[in-house]
Amino acid sequence: DAKTTQPPSMDCAEGRAANLPCNHSTISGNEYVYWYRQIHSQGPQYIIHGLKNNETNEMASLIITEDRKSSTLILPHATLRDTAVYYCIVRLSNSGYALNFGKGTSLLVTP
Amino acid sequence: DAGVTQSPTHLIKTRGQHVTLRCSPISGHKSVSWYQQVLGQGPQFIFQYYEKEERGRGNFPDRFSARQFPNYSSELNVNALLLGDSALYLCASSGTGWFSNQPQHFGDGTRLSIL
């Protein structure tokens, strides 16, 4: 599976959009991009995933560049409850489905 | 609908003991995966089971074993516990098919402390 690179930490003001970047320059054509987040003392929470088209759900939007070497998770109106560690993960759709979490980005939303 | 449930939520053991952790997947999910998360790090993959068969294994010693039952619930067993086994153990379930891009959904884990 492709490796991902994320900034270790980011800040965002409450009510503003949080844009979390992820580089996955070695991604191959059949690898999906998944985003999870983990709030302290809880299990990881699935947010969104995509292959090559941009995706949106009730939690967030996922923008994948045309060459698929990077992506951005967008939380449109960040709240204090969005403070968490965010993981960008790339894995094969027909692999053993193991998720390689890496270290993620610690997002702090401030009042 | 109930999410992934794990039991117990907390557990304290001493070195050399054995532990069994349990996981019930989301209804209809046939795949269960186990992860270990030590403090300050992301979760690390231990095992994945689908239809009661082991489909993947991470870089963990043979002291770690698991199984999946006909109702798709699962157990993780760890023998000869070491201090380094202190961690949050997470269970995730996914999908109705093996070749699927469906995401894994996690429980809140069992926090295991070794004294």
Side-chain angles (χ1 to χ4, degrees):
Chain A
D1 293 350
K3 287 188 175 181
T4 61
T5 304
Q6 299 178 254
S9 63
M10 295 181 62
D11 293 344
C12 178
E14 188 177 21
R16 305 297 292 269
N19 297 290
L20 292 89
C22 179
N23 287 321
H24 30 80
S25 59
T26 60
I27 194 170
S28 61
N30 58 352
E31 290 183 314
Y32 285 77
V33 180
Y34 292 78
W35 283 84
Y36 284 77
R37 71 180 183 185
Q38 189 172 24
I39 297 170
H40 184 61
S41 298
Q42 297 181 17
Q45 178 188 23
Y46 164 75
I47 301 173
I48 199 167
H49 74 287
L51 182 61
K52 55 183 179 181
N53 297 320
N54 298 337
E55 302 287 345
T56 296
N57 62 20
E58 65 278 5
M59 291 183 65
S61 294
L62 173 61
I63 308 299
I64 302 173
T65 58
E66 190 169 345
D67 63 7
R68 304 208 326 118
K69 294 183 184 300
S70 66
S71 61
T72 301
L73 179 75
I74 301 172
L75 308 178
H77 305 286
T79 70
L80 300 179
R81 290 191 300 271
D82 292 322
T83 292
V85 177
Y86 287 77
Y87 296 97
C88 168
I89 302 165
V90 176
R91 67 167 172 81
L92 291 168
S93 63
N94 59 349
S95 73
Y97 299 121
L99 297 176
N100 180 7
F101 276 81
K103 296 184 177 180
T105 296
S106 179
L107 175 68
L108 175 64
V109 181
T110 57
Chain B
D1 288 342
V4 176
T5 58
Q6 294 186 243
S7 63
T9 55
H10 294 83
L11 199 53
I12 299 174
K13 293 285 189 178
T14 57
R15 284 177 296 175
Q17 285 189 311
H18 162 270
V19 68
T20 297
L21 310 180
R22 295 177 174 84
C23 172
S24 293
I26 292 171
S27 177
H29 283 187
K30 298 181 179 179
S31 179
V32 169
S33 300
W34 288 94
Y35 293 79
Q36 180 197 64
Q37 185 174 26
V38 299
L39 198 62
Q41 298 183 18
Q44 298 295 310
F45 171 68
I46 309 175
F47 285 111
Q48 182 169 55
Y49 279 78
Y50 177 74
E51 289 284 13
K52 302 178 289 295
E53 292 187 6
E54 181 182 307
R55 296 299 187 109
R57 182 183 183 120
N59 187 25
F60 280 81
D62 292 342
R63 299 184 296 107
F64 289 77
S65 63
R67 56 179 175 168
Q68 187 177 32
F69 299 100
N71 66 353
Y72 302 110
S73 67
S74 178
E75 286 183 352
L76 175 69
N77 297 283
V78 187
N79 293 322
L81 287 166
L82 304 174
L83 292 178
D85 295 331
S86 294
L88 180 67
Y89 288 85
L90 295 159
C91 174
S93 76
S94 62
T96 56
W98 177 239
F99 293 101
S100 167
N101 66 0
Q102 294 176 13
Q104 295 182 19
H105 296 274
F106 286 79
D108 283 336
T110 294
R111 185 160 298 282
L112 176 63
S113 298
I114 310 301
L115 303 180

